[in-house]
Amino acid sequence: MRGFLASSIGVTCAAALALPLTPPAVAATARPVPTTEAATAARPAPHAGTPDTTMTNRRAAEPYAPGSTQSLPLEPLTRNRATPTAPDTPEKGLTRRSTRHFSLVGVVWDDPAAELHGRVQVRTRAADTGTWSGWQDVETHNSDHAADPDTPERASGRVRGATAPLWVGDSDGVELRVRSGPESAEAGSAQHGTGARTLPAAPPLPSGLRLELVDPGDDAPPPDALGDDSRTTGLADELSAADELSALDETSAADETSTGEAATEASAVNADLAPLGATEIPALNRAESEQEFFALHTGELTEQQRARPFVGPRPRIVTRRGWGANEGLRERGFRYTRKVKAAFVHHTASGNGYRCSQSPSLIRSIYRYHVRSMGWRDIGYNFLIDKCGRIYEGRAGGVARAVLGAHTLGFNSNSMGIAVLGSYGAKKPSSAAVKAIARLTAWKLGLYRVNPRGKTYLKSAGSNLHRKGKKVRLNVISGHRDGFRTSCPGRKLYGKLGSARSKAARYQGR
């Protein structure tokens, strides 16, 4: 890979000086999240009225917005007396209210090491019809998707605890309830002889609970659209229009410059695979992929490896520019690990209520949630796959490179993380998604001369399943639950990994 790395570095430096890029869907700056920030480019809040006010084509009349996050502190809720709960059960949330537009929700809290034991439920109002959804559960166990302990990303001071994100579609109203639950359902019992029902004391909820409402922004901005990286609070609404315009005037030039440079960097690291500014990296056939493999490994291959390279055909990959990444959000620069020895498969646990045409918006929402709400340096996954089998570039740094992700706590080094958009505990993944896992791993693992049907050893950085420093024997294509005690990637998707391994090996010609 030495020739490839040197080439990429050279291209990156030259391109950064020569070609400023603006992503097709965004242009913004990456500045620290303030406590109160003017929503300079956020969609306006709905008109005042009752929660059941009929919606119109309000959105069509609104100005373009490249994305924003509303961050709302949770409030104590009055407990429903008809529902039996333990004494002093902590319960917080938000009563039904109108909001600016959003499409994805999640709950965050101050301490990333704290866990939320209990239940989080949300209901939302569809912006086009004004209809309220039923209550939907939000996956609370999400700490296993994270940067490894003792890494700069984990120790940045910006990281927060969080639930998994939930995609709800274009919405403009929300209601939330968060109820603490006991550690074990067996802790409660009925007192014999008295008929009195006792319930266990519930653990406290984490401090600093906030509801994050993420708007992914529009797919295609007008040429003169300015960017926004806002994470707004309720107090931001009190700022005057003059204050908002002043803040925008002071930062817009720097924002555009910073975002353009970051976009150039993100595209340049793929310059050996596609033109600068490309929205996708094209698929290659087997012969073309083998020639690419030889070029990347100039002077490193044995005669036997040249005779039988065992690399799968490169699949089509939508680049970050293609799904509209706001390169001004993420931390600048890239971080790499030594090689790619394994692939961990995940599901995003964000629900299955999305259309494939909405996949770029869903990915932009997850990206913004990971960076602005959870405090990560970039989106955690190296690749994402939708239910139609389309493959998307994840964390910036180059799709052929060993980019260090934040996807499998304890095993991010020398691995890559692939997330299938959706929830697959009870629902089977599509055959297209499983095939895409096989095609992607056949190519990417092949670049690092790894058999997708084989085994490998990874050193644990510490997880709830494997102690720090332990060398763990894993399938080259593993599920998240193989490295961490978790339900991810869902029982139904996990059951398809054997098929993905076999298909990937065949794509490599094994």
Side-chain angles (χ1 to χ4, degrees):
M1 302 287 283
R2 288 190 295 271
F4 168 63
L5 297 180
S7 173
S8 293
I9 293 170
V11 171
T12 301
C13 296
L17 295 173
L19 181 62
L21 298 176
T22 302
V26 283
T29 183
R31 59 180 182 268
V33 179
T35 302
T36 302
E37 182 176 351
T40 54
R43 291 179 173 83
H47 300 306
T50 65
D52 297 316
T53 299
T54 301
M55 297 297 107
T56 63
N57 288 331
R58 181 187 310 142
R59 185 160 196 165
E62 293 173 357
Y64 161 77
S68 61
T69 299
Q70 301 167 73
S71 185
L72 309 177
L74 302 196
E75 305 161 352
L77 294 181
T78 301
R79 188 166 68 245
N80 182 354
R81 294 180 181 275
T83 304
T85 58
D88 302 320
T89 298
E91 187 171 0
K92 290 189 175 183
L94 294 171
T95 55
R96 187 182 295 195
R97 65 193 61 200
S98 295
T99 66
R100 291 186 173 91
H101 282 266
F102 65 93
S103 295
L104 179 140
V105 304
V107 173
V108 300
W109 53 90
D110 295 337
D111 183 2
E115 294 190 22
L116 196 164
H117 297 285
R119 192 174 189 184
V120 176
Q121 292 182 300
V122 66
R123 56 194 308 241
T124 55
R125 184 177 61 194
D128 56 348
T129 66
T131 303
W132 284 87
S133 72
W135 288 104
Q136 300 184 75
D137 285 304
V138 180
E139 174 59 57
T140 59
H141 298 291
N142 195 47
S143 60
D144 46 328
H145 299 78
D148 288 339
D150 303 322
T151 60
E153 182 170 7
R154 183 76 174 183
S156 67
R158 299 188 302 270
V159 179
R160 304 175 187 89
T163 67
L166 177 67
W167 176 261
V168 295
D170 186 20
S171 305
D172 63 3
V174 69
E175 184 177 2
L176 177 79
R177 59 191 185 197
V178 179
R179 174 175 293 173
S180 177
E183 296 289 341
S184 171
E186 298 177 356
S189 63
Q191 289 185 350
H192 296 289
T194 65
R197 185 181 180 188
T198 61
L199 292 170
L205 292 171
S207 63
L209 287 167
R210 305 184 74 88
L211 174 64
E212 304 286 287
L213 304 176
V214 180
D215 180 356
D218 298 330
D219 290 327
D224 59 347
L226 291 179
D228 169 57
D229 70 341
S230 60
R231 181 171 180 266
T232 70
T233 68
L235 293 177
D237 296 335
E238 300 175 9
L239 296 177
S240 68
D243 291 337
E244 293 181 0
L245 291 174
S246 175
L248 182 60
D249 290 342
E250 292 175 1
T251 62
S252 59
D255 290 355
E256 287 184 305
T257 300
S258 175
T259 300
E261 292 173 352
T264 299
E265 294 172 351
S267 182
V269 288
N270 288 319
D272 284 359
L273 312 181
L276 285 167
T279 57
E280 69 174 58
I281 295 169
L284 299 180
N285 60 33
R286 178 178 296 279
E288 292 169 333
S289 297
E290 289 178 354
Q291 290 303 312
E292 174 191 58
F293 174 77
F294 296 147
L296 298 182
H297 291 282
T298 302
E300 299 177 11
L301 303 176
T302 65
E303 287 300 319
Q304 183 178 6
Q305 289 169 337
R306 291 189 64 83
R308 302 194 69 184
F310 293 126
V311 60
R314 186 178 77 196
R316 173 181 175 267
I317 302 172
V318 179
T319 65
R320 290 172 63 91
R321 180 175 170 84
W323 55 260
N326 179 344
E327 300 295 351
L329 288 182
R330 65 174 173 84
E331 186 178 304
R332 292 289 296 274
F334 314 113
R335 290 178 182 161
Y336 299 96
T337 185
R338 290 193 304 117
K339 60 181 71 173
V340 178
K341 298 172 63 178
F344 285 99
V345 177
H346 306 253
H347 67 170
T348 57
S350 50
N352 301 308
Y354 71 95
R355 301 186 301 275
C356 290
S357 61
Q358 295 175 314
S359 296
S361 294
L362 174 52
I363 295 171
R364 290 198 303 275
S365 297
I366 293 173
Y367 169 46
R368 176 175 281 275
Y369 185 68
H370 282 183
V371 176
R372 302 302 290 170
S373 300
M374 298 178 66
W376 295 359
R377 71 186 313 272
D378 195 351
I379 192 169
Y381 309 112
N382 298 105
F383 297 93
L384 301 100
I385 294 172
D386 68 18
K387 55 189 172 186
C388 289
R390 284 193 286 259
I391 301 170
Y392 300 84
E393 178 183 14
R395 179 163 288 208
V399 297
R401 311 258 318 255
V403 179
L404 180 65
H407 48 83
T408 307
L409 182 63
F411 292 95
N412 290 305
S413 293
N414 297 327
S415 72
M416 67 176 181
I418 302 169
V420 182
L421 298 173
S423 302
Y424 299 101
K427 183 178 177 61
K428 290 182 180 180
S430 68
S431 58
V434 176
K435 182 179 179 180
I437 293 171
R439 294 188 65 206
L440 175 59
T441 53
W443 171 70
K444 183 65 179 279
L445 293 171
L447 294 181
Y448 290 85
R449 292 166 279 181
V450 177
N451 182 351
R453 205 163 43 194
K455 305 280 187 179
T456 191
Y457 282 91
L458 292 179
K459 186 177 180 181
S460 173
S463 77
N464 66 0
L465 192 59
H466 303 287
R467 62 173 173 79
K468 182 176 181 180
K470 179 181 179 181
K471 291 185 177 180
V472 182
R473 188 170 186 259
L474 296 161
N475 287 309
V476 165
I477 299 179
S478 283
H480 186 181
R481 64 175 62 181
D482 295 317
F484 197 99
R485 189 174 291 108
T486 175
S487 62
C488 183
R491 180 172 59 88
K492 295 292 188 179
L493 178 53
Y494 188 77
K496 293 293 184 180
L497 295 188
S499 173
R501 295 181 193 108
S502 298
K503 284 185 172 71
R506 288 198 298 271
Y507 285 138
Q508 285 189 350
R510 296 183 186 272

